[in-house]
Amino acid sequence: MKPLSSRLPDLTLVFVVLFTVAYFFLTHEGLYDLDDYFYSRYAHQLAAGTFRVLPDPQGMLHDPLKERWLIFGPVALLYRLLGINIISTTLWPLLATLGCAAIIWRVYRRREPVVAAAAMLLLGLHYFTLNLTNYLYPDNILMFWCLCCALCLLAGRHQARKQLLWGGGFALLNFAALLSKETIVYYLPFYLGVLALDIFGRRHGRFWLAAVGVGVGLLGAYLAFYQVYTHDALYRIHLIEHTNEFLKEGNFLVGNRAALLARITYQPLVFLVGTGLGVALVLALAAAFGRRRHPGSDAGFWLALAFSTLTFYWLGSTSLTQYNPITLIPRMTTPLLPPLCLAAGFGLRDFLARPRSSGYWLALALLACAAWLHTSVAVLYGGLALYFGLATWLADSGSVATWRRPDTAGFAALGVLALAAVLSIRPLYFMRKPSVSAHFEQQQIIRQQLQAPRRGVVFVDDFLIGNYDFYYGYQVPPGLRFRRYSAADSVPLGPGEKAWLLVNGRTLTNPELTRKLIRYSEADVLARFPERRPVAQAGDVRLYEVKPATGPEQRYQAGQVGNEM
């Protein structure tokens, strides 16, 4: 298997990097929600020197995002280098995602080439991994730190030399993860378990001495920092608890208690299979059953970390004072992905070496997932079930064709190719879909038409009203004011001022927004502004010069449209 399999990780890395970058540019939708806007605004403040490390003056403790410095800190540097735009805003999550693939390639390309290729594909082509590269969210960045932490722990315990350096690095990486998102705590049970085993076996003492010493020093300095600036050393914990208290009406103990049993029993499995992670779960289980055949490999480490992390996600709580299970949304699973995908890589390696020992079971398990779902994601499971079934049936150790002989380069290449092809289907579908936000067209209109020295009012939708300053690099021309459509009959114009109507047809039909935020159609908006003159158009984004309703009859008609909205 060596001649071709040694190149498999190299080819896979190139494919994953190119595919990820293509997805990033072809599917970018601009800002998604309040979170990425807040992170971007903090990055701008940091770059401009106006960021202040102070608690909320009203004591509301409502914004934990401000404490995640390694999310917006690197973005501030990118703003200084590249300016403020949506690409520089989301470049850090993209680089972190690509970094995960590069690290897996660097560590395992020679020792476990098939594992490296499979893990890069399972992690890098997972739809929600790709989706999160487009937004300034902390999850893929945390995933990068989680992978680095785990590999540092693994390498530090295997290296007889420089254990103090490995231990100190382990502590630093976990601190970096903490400064990105609090859910690095997913790994804490595993860390404590490994520490207990090493204490009991009297092993790796220097590694743990350095890790604990540096960790305590960093944590002490961190708590002292908060004590100085907020007069509360546990400010960040209290911030999280206050958020849980504020949202308790929707949690499983107060507002949704009847669903608690389902949440901690079968719902996580339904959720994981529904997001496409069932493939990695099935392959990881195969690796667990075949682990005894490879006692010297890293499979046991990644399996233990994957299933301890999964257990924490399944049963853990977001609060220290009340039991509130972690939300079942895809971005909350990113700490699970590196160990799970690496463990699954060992499962695929075992199949490619001995297909008849597990191939039919893998095919049946994946076929069961496809039958259970009845959604488009079933194609993922059905396609791989077909591969495992056919590959097992065609496998022949005496065949002349290498692609049919287990434990050969050809058979391994075919398996990795099948995995890449099936995992690519869903991302390719979204890469071909038209934009739902028309961000770049809207940006073009704003940059070309709504700049100084123009003065007046711009009427915009309820989504853009919350982040229009991003399009100006947070420096809106002083002569321009932005108002909601519903304010059309109540905004007076000063001498020399004009009024414009900006209509983004994609925003007004975006299903993510029309469920709650956008309650009106383009026809409703245009009816509110009967006197309008087209100024510019880019795709489905249109700019009109309008005359706001000011007469009693127009006010009444506008009020009717406002009520319909």
Side-chain angles (χ1 to χ4, degrees):
M1 190 187 292
K2 289 184 179 179
L4 181 58
S5 65
S6 63
R7 293 200 298 271
L8 273 181
D10 302 343
L11 296 172
T12 303
L13 177 67
V14 172
F15 173 72
V16 168
V17 168
L18 293 177
F19 194 93
T20 303
V21 172
Y23 184 93
F24 176 81
F25 284 105
L26 292 176
T27 65
H28 215 303
E29 298 286 2
L31 294 175
Y32 177 71
D33 207 347
L34 288 176
D35 286 16
D36 50 357
Y37 172 72
F38 284 155
Y39 287 129
S40 172
R41 191 173 63 182
Y42 292 143
H44 161 67
Q45 292 173 359
L46 196 60
T50 59
F51 183 81
R52 295 292 179 267
V53 186
L54 295 172
D56 177 29
Q58 297 180 349
M60 297 295 289
L61 299 175
H62 69 286
D63 187 9
L65 308 184
K66 193 175 183 180
E67 314 310 317
R68 297 172 178 175
W69 300 333
L70 281 187
I71 303 302
F72 56 84
V75 178
L77 178 61
L78 290 170
Y79 282 172
R80 296 292 296 270
L81 295 174
L82 305 175
I84 299 176
N85 56 69
I86 197 60
I87 301 302
S88 61
T89 299
T90 51
L91 190 58
W92 175 216
L94 173 65
L95 292 175
T97 307
L98 296 176
C100 290
I103 289 174
I104 292 172
W105 171 83
R106 177 67 179 84
V107 173
Y108 284 108
R109 62 183 292 260
R110 296 189 185 279
R111 284 193 289 152
E112 297 283 1
V114 173
V115 173
M120 283 189 284
L121 290 172
L122 287 166
L123 188 148
L125 299 190
H126 177 52
Y127 168 70
F128 291 103
T129 298
L130 290 166
N131 180 255
L132 286 167
T133 62
N134 283 346
Y135 306 109
L136 184 53
Y137 272 56
D139 306 283
N140 280 18
I141 299 167
L142 176 69
M143 180 174 69
F144 172 76
W145 295 123
C146 285
L147 176 60
C148 292
C149 291
L151 283 170
C152 191
L153 175 60
L154 178 63
R157 295 176 71 249
H158 285 175
Q159 298 286 340
R161 301 174 58 188
K162 300 182 179 179
Q163 287 219 336
L164 291 176
L165 286 176
W166 282 110
F170 176 67
L172 283 169
L173 288 169
N174 277 280
F175 187 66
L178 179 64
L179 295 182
S180 299
K181 194 177 181 182
E182 302 80 4
T183 43
I184 184 59
V185 74
Y186 285 17
Y187 282 16
L188 183 59
F190 180 76
Y191 292 164
L192 295 176
V194 174
L195 175 60
L197 286 175
D198 284 350
I199 290 175
F200 182 77
R202 297 183 178 181
R203 297 170 298 187
H204 315 300
R206 298 179 68 195
F207 172 87
W208 287 111
L209 180 65
V212 173
V214 174
V216 169
L218 288 171
L219 190 59
Y222 191 54
L223 296 178
F225 172 85
Y226 276 115
Q227 181 63 40
V228 170
Y229 280 95
T230 69
H231 306 293
D232 180 7
L234 301 179
Y235 173 78
R236 196 169 177 187
I237 294 176
H238 294 154
L239 186 63
I240 298 169
E241 291 300 333
H242 184 89
T243 303
N244 276 289
E245 182 67 21
F246 180 76
L247 299 174
K248 69 179 180 180
E249 291 301 323
N251 73 27
F252 285 90
L253 291 185
V254 178
N256 199 19
R257 183 175 296 182
L260 178 60
L261 181 61
R263 167 60 186 83
I264 61 176
T265 53
Y266 69 88
Q267 278 186 354
L269 181 60
V270 174
F271 162 74
L272 292 168
V273 172
T275 58
L277 286 178
V279 174
L281 282 171
V282 169
L283 286 171
L285 287 172
F289 286 117
R291 188 169 62 86
R292 292 182 180 179
R293 293 195 294 266
H294 306 281
S297 74
D298 294 339
F301 177 89
W302 295 114
L303 283 165
L305 178 55
F307 286 109
S308 68
T309 306
L310 179 60
T311 301
F312 191 98
Y313 181 69
W314 202 303
L315 303 173
S317 172
T318 62
S319 172
L320 297 174
T321 59
Q322 54 182 307
Y323 182 60
N324 186 31
I326 300 163
T327 310
L328 293 177
I329 55 177
R331 65 188 186 89
M332 298 299 289
T333 64
T334 48
L336 172 64
L337 293 181
L340 180 63
C341 292
L342 279 161
F346 284 95
L348 182 65
R349 181 200 64 176
D350 291 346
F351 164 78
L352 295 173
R354 299 176 183 82
R356 294 190 182 277
S357 65
S358 61
Y360 289 126
W361 290 110
L362 287 171
L364 285 173
L366 293 171
L367 200 59
C369 291
W372 185 14
L373 283 180
H374 296 293
T375 66
S376 59
V377 184
V379 174
L380 170 65
Y381 297 106
L384 286 175
L386 180 63
Y387 160 72
F388 283 113
L390 284 175
T392 304
W393 179 57
L394 293 172
D396 182 0
S397 58
S399 174
V400 176
T402 58
W403 64 269
R404 292 187 58 183
R405 293 209 315 268
D407 207 21
T408 62
F411 196 71
L414 185 62
V416 171
L417 182 62
L419 185 63
V422 176
L423 288 173
S424 299
I425 293 174
R426 192 179 185 194
L428 282 171
Y429 168 75
F430 284 96
M431 288 163 71
R432 293 171 57 87
K433 287 188 67 176
S435 169
V436 297
S437 69
H439 168 84
F440 294 101
E441 292 87 347
Q442 186 165 265
Q443 177 179 268
Q444 177 184 336
I445 293 290
I446 291 174
R447 286 184 175 177
Q448 292 179 354
Q449 302 294 333
L450 298 174
Q451 298 291 335
R454 293 202 170 190
R455 299 175 59 249
V457 180
V458 185
F459 296 104
V460 298
D461 57 71
D462 286 283
F463 180 71
L464 184 58
I465 194 66
N467 57 45
Y468 65 86
D469 54 346
F470 173 80
Y471 291 84
Y472 293 95
Y474 300 101
Q475 295 180 346
V476 181
L480 290 176
R481 294 170 288 156
F482 283 73
R483 297 292 185 269
R484 288 182 171 88
Y485 297 144
S486 57
D489 59 342
S490 60
V491 178
L493 294 179
E497 290 189 334
K498 294 183 178 181
W500 294 274
L501 170 67
L502 183 61
V503 179
N504 186 332
R506 296 296 177 87
T507 295
L508 300 184
T509 56
N510 184 346
E512 292 289 328
L513 299 176
T514 54
R515 292 191 187 107
K516 293 182 179 180
L517 184 64
I518 304 294
R519 298 292 189 179
Y520 40 86
S521 67
E522 185 171 347
D524 295 329
V525 174
L526 295 178
R528 178 184 284 276
F529 300 89
E531 297 185 47
R532 60 184 182 274
R533 179 180 66 83
V535 175
Q537 178 176 351
D540 288 335
V541 183
R542 300 171 180 84
L543 181 68
Y544 303 91
E545 185 177 333
V546 298
K547 185 176 180 180
T550 55
E553 182 179 347
Q554 290 173 312
R555 287 179 186 273
Y556 173 74
Q557 292 175 348
Q560 281 187 321
V561 175
N563 291 334
E564 292 172 2
M565 293 183 189

